[in-house]
């Protein structure tokens, strides 16, 4: 069993303070085969940008990697862990390695055990396979996985496979031993409040991370108060942060410094929150029910040279009509949000053997 105590103390401290954790895409070549050179380059990009962790085997890595006929779950997770360790040794910086965990209990236990054996620090636990199950069944499942590896709970928005999880679920979830954090991603203020209140009232040392890609800066800036209990969302574990990552790190550093200073929130930062949301709409494609979400983030990375193309394992998963133009619009409208210069200055290094 891997526990929170097994996590490197410096890595854990940074995670508890709050850091940027991109949900890493899957690098594929024109034949839709795994492209390790670019997967490695993404790891190097994220680490040099200053992230505190990387999540792989999650939604943006494409759930199809788990299909037997594709067979990419084990090689992608194992090689990515190696790429992170390699760059950690080169740079002297360690980060938190997060692996996605999906499926019913048998599959989820296998994935948790495999990730623990590959030296992942924690598992991001999806409950999408329990859409029709009871709260008690989900809690029993979570407790079993937490006996293998530290767990990051995951409130996934219903529009992309999640379900409504009531306050009572999160109240009981917070009591499970070896729960490290919760990623809050329902894209819903009421549901977000359920999680935050449950953790605040639990008194447990569970770190909150936003996955609400539609409201990132506000989640990070807000102090939540419930009677005499106060709590904050400390960082982000986001698909949106897998591109333009250097600017995400700078944003989070700015937010932390502002909170520590006790100064008022500047109006410009609220405006920037809306600009980030506008950019996310171009990347994630809510106009078409998020159909272009994964190819959208691929497109952003491909334009920078960090991916060889925008191919997905599912050949039908492509950019939606007008999505490329929307990505161009937000890129040109908000030059302060992208990190093209940082990428251009380092790309050859990241792609080198």
């Amino acid at each position: 069993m891997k526990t929170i105590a097994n996590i490197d103390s410096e890595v854990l401290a940074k995670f508890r303070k709050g850091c940027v954790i991109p949900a890493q895409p899957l690098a594929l070549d024109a034949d839709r085969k795994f492209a390790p050179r670019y997967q490695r380059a993404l790891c190097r990009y994220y680490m040099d940008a200053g992230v505190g962790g990387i999540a792989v085997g999650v939604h943006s890595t494409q759930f199809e990697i788990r299909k037997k006929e594709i067979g990419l779950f084990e090689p992608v997770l194992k090689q990515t862990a190696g790429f992170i360790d390699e760059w950690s040794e080169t740079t002297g910086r360690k980060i938190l390695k997060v692996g996605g965990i999906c499926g019913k209990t048998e599959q989820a236990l296998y994935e948790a055990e495999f990730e623990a054996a590959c030296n992942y620090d924690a598992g991001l636990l999806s409950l999408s396979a329990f859409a029709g199950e009871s709260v008690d069944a989900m809690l029993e499942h979570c407790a079993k996985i937490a006996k293998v590896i530290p767990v990051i709970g995951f409130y996934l928005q219903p529009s992309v496979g999640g379900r409504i999880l009531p306050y009572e679920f999160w109240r009981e979830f917070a009591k499970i031993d070896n729960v490290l954090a919760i990623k809050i991603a329902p894209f819903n203020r009421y549901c977000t409040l359920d999680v935050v209140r449950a953790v605040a009232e639990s008194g447990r040392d569970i770190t909150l991370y936003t996955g609400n890609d539609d409201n990132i800066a506000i989640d990070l800036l807000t102090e939540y108060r419930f009677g005499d209990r106060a709590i904050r969302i400390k960082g982000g574990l986001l698909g949106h942060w897998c591109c333009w990552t250097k600017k995400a790190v700078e944003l989070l550093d700015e937010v932390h410094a502002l909170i520590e200073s006790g100064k008022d929130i500047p109006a410009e930062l609220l405006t920037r929150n809306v600009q980030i949301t506008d950019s996310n709409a171009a990347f994630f494609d809510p106009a078409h029910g998020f159909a272009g979400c994964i190819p959208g983030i691929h497109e952003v990375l491909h334009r920078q040279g960090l991916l060889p193309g925008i191919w997905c394992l599912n050949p039908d998963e492509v950019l939606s009509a007008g999505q490329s133009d929307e990505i161009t619009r937000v890129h040109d409208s908000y030059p302060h949000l992208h990190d093209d210069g940082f990428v251009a200055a380092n790309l050859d290094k990241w792609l080198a053997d």
Side-chain angles (χ1 to χ4, degrees):
M1 174 182 179
K2 295 193 73 167
T3 69
I4 295 169
N6 298 134
I7 300 172
D8 179 90
S9 59
E10 291 185 13
V11 171
L12 181 61
K14 184 167 185 177
F15 178 82
R16 294 294 197 197
K17 178 182 177 182
C19 59
V20 168
I21 302 181
Q24 188 176 38
L26 176 67
L28 298 174
D29 63 21
D31 295 320
R32 303 183 196 278
K33 303 296 184 183
F34 181 43
R37 180 183 176 219
Y38 283 88
Q39 198 76 21
R40 183 183 61 189
L42 286 173
C43 293
R44 293 174 173 181
Y45 161 52
Y46 297 141
M47 294 174 73
D48 282 359
V51 305
I54 294 175
V56 64
V58 293
H59 174 254
S60 55
T61 324
Q62 301 180 50
F63 291 135
E64 289 89 346
I65 62 173
R66 292 170 168 81
K67 292 184 176 180
K68 289 184 179 180
E69 64 271 24
I70 291 175
L72 280 179
F73 177 78
E74 290 85 356
V76 169
L77 271 287
K78 186 172 184 178
Q79 289 188 53
T80 300
F83 297 150
I84 294 170
D85 290 344
E86 172 194 61
W87 207 241
S88 289
E89 187 172 338
T90 299
T91 61
R93 284 190 64 252
K94 293 182 179 180
I95 65 168
L96 193 82
K97 289 179 288 189
V98 180
I101 298 174
C102 298
K104 290 295 186 72
T105 304
E106 182 179 0
Q107 177 186 340
L109 282 171
Y110 168 76
E111 294 187 6
E113 289 163 359
F114 178 80
E115 289 167 8
C118 292
N119 292 319
Y120 280 84
D121 298 295
L124 180 66
L125 184 55
S126 170
L127 295 173
S128 58
F130 286 79
E133 302 285 343
S134 67
V135 165
D136 287 343
M138 288 189 292
L139 289 167
E140 181 180 356
H141 170 77
C142 294
K144 288 179 179 178
I145 306 308
K147 290 180 179 179
V148 177
I149 195 169
V151 163
I152 299 175
F154 186 12
Y155 199 161
L156 177 65
Q157 58 170 315
S159 60
V160 292
R163 59 172 282 182
I164 297 297
L165 296 169
Y167 163 82
E168 289 77 14
F169 170 83
W170 295 109
R171 182 189 63 201
E172 297 304 312
F173 179 83
K175 297 177 182 178
I176 297 173
D177 289 335
N178 217 27
V179 169
L180 174 65
I182 299 172
K183 169 182 173 172
I184 310 171
F187 286 42
N188 180 303
R189 292 294 91 195
Y190 302 113
C191 296
T192 295
L193 276 171
D194 284 339
V195 182
V196 178
R197 180 166 70 93
V199 173
E201 293 176 352
S202 76
R204 299 291 299 276
D205 189 12
I206 295 172
T207 309
L208 297 179
Y209 270 64
T210 183
N212 288 320
D213 305 74
D214 63 338
N215 207 41
I216 296 169
I218 298 300
D219 271 358
L220 297 170
L221 287 164
T222 302
E223 180 181 70
Y224 297 82
R225 284 192 171 273
F226 308 94
D228 61 352
R229 296 177 184 264
I231 192 170
R232 287 186 179 273
I233 296 172
K234 296 295 186 68
L237 199 171
L238 297 154
H240 179 84
W241 278 357
C242 76
C243 53
W244 298 358
T245 309
K246 179 67 171 174
K247 293 298 183 178
V249 171
E250 292 174 3
L251 170 68
L252 185 57
D253 287 346
E254 181 182 350
V255 168
H256 284 170
L258 179 65
I259 291 169
E260 289 172 8
S261 74
K263 295 179 181 178
D264 291 340
I265 298 170
E268 182 278 328
L269 198 48
L270 302 180
T271 299
R272 204 184 328 157
N273 179 70
V274 176
Q275 295 171 342
I276 293 168
T277 301
D278 190 20
S279 299
N280 182 261
F283 302 168
F284 272 29
D285 195 34
H288 301 93
F290 302 95
C293 172
I294 293 176
I297 56 179
H298 286 189
E299 175 70 12
V300 178
L301 292 166
H302 174 53
R303 291 185 186 193
Q304 293 182 314
L306 283 160
L307 284 179
I310 69 168
W311 308 287
C312 295
L313 291 169
N314 179 356
D316 294 328
E317 200 163 355
V318 296
L319 292 174
S320 294
Q323 190 177 1
S324 179
D325 291 340
E326 277 294 284
I327 292 171
T328 299
R329 178 184 66 81
V330 298
H331 174 276
D332 294 349
S333 296
Y334 312 128
H336 52 289
L337 296 184
H338 68 67
D339 60 0
D340 288 0
F342 172 69
V343 174
N346 291 281
L347 185 60
D348 289 345
K349 176 182 69 174
W350 298 331
L351 287 170
D353 291 335

